[in-house]
Structure formats: structure tokens, C-alpha cells
Amino acid sequence: RDWGGDCSAVQIQLRNVKQIQATCGAFAAILADRSVVTWGMPEHGGDCAAVQEELGHVEQIFATGYAFAAILADGSIVAWGDPDRGGDCSAVRDQLRWL
């Protein structure tokens, strides 16, 4: 299993990295253009394909053991990873605004 220690699949994308966060099995990097690159175990947030189109203009990323949450420039929140452990904020998304 890939616990996030091998970034070779995304290595070419990892340029101008501004921030990295980690769950217990994945990594997420914010690049200078405010896009996000992830790698590692999909169930721990290593695959953000389901929300990739929403991950523009990312300001900051936070991590739990199994999920990531990104604050976007407009103050909205996008989450991915294990939906039972913080990776799905759709039920409360309208209530979450970065102040």
C-alpha cells in the first residue's frame, strides 16, 4: 500500500509548492498558482479528483487523520478524503465561511 511516501506519480506537478499538509496516509500540496496536488491513499485524501474542479484559488489546507479541508479565496470550504471522518462537508457547507 502507498501510505503517501511515494510521490513519483505527481512529481512533475510538484513545482513552486507553498504549503504541504498530511493525513495519516496522504499528502496535499498547495502550489503557487493556488491549485492542489495530492498523493497517497485515496481513502485518506490522496485522491482529490471528485473535488478537483472546486479546488481553485486555495488559500490554506487543514488535515485530520483521514481527510483534508481547503479554504478557498472566496471563503468557501472544500473537503475530501474519508467521508465518515471529515472528508465530506456537503451537509454543512453553506454554513461554513471563513471569516
Side-chain angles (χ1 to χ4, degrees), residues 1 13 18 22-23 27 39 60 76 85 91 94:
R1 284 187 76 87
Q13 299 172 8
K18 298 300 180 192
T23 63
F27 291 90
W39 66 97
Q60 197 167 0
S76 63
R85 295 178 174 170
D94 291 340

Side-chain angles (χ1 to χ4, degrees), residues 1-3 20 22 32 42 47 53 59 64 67 90 93 96:
R1 284 187 76 87
D2 177 13
W3 291 88
I20 293 179
D47 181 0
E53 290 186 14
E59 295 287 333
T64 68
S90 59
R93 190 169 184 186
L96 299 174

Side-chain angles (χ1 to χ4, degrees), residues 1-8 22-27 38-42 44 46:
R1 284 187 76 87
D2 177 13
W3 291 88
D6 180 5
C7 67
S8 60
T23 63
C24 63
F27 291 90
T38 60
W39 66 97
M41 296 178 64
H44 291 196

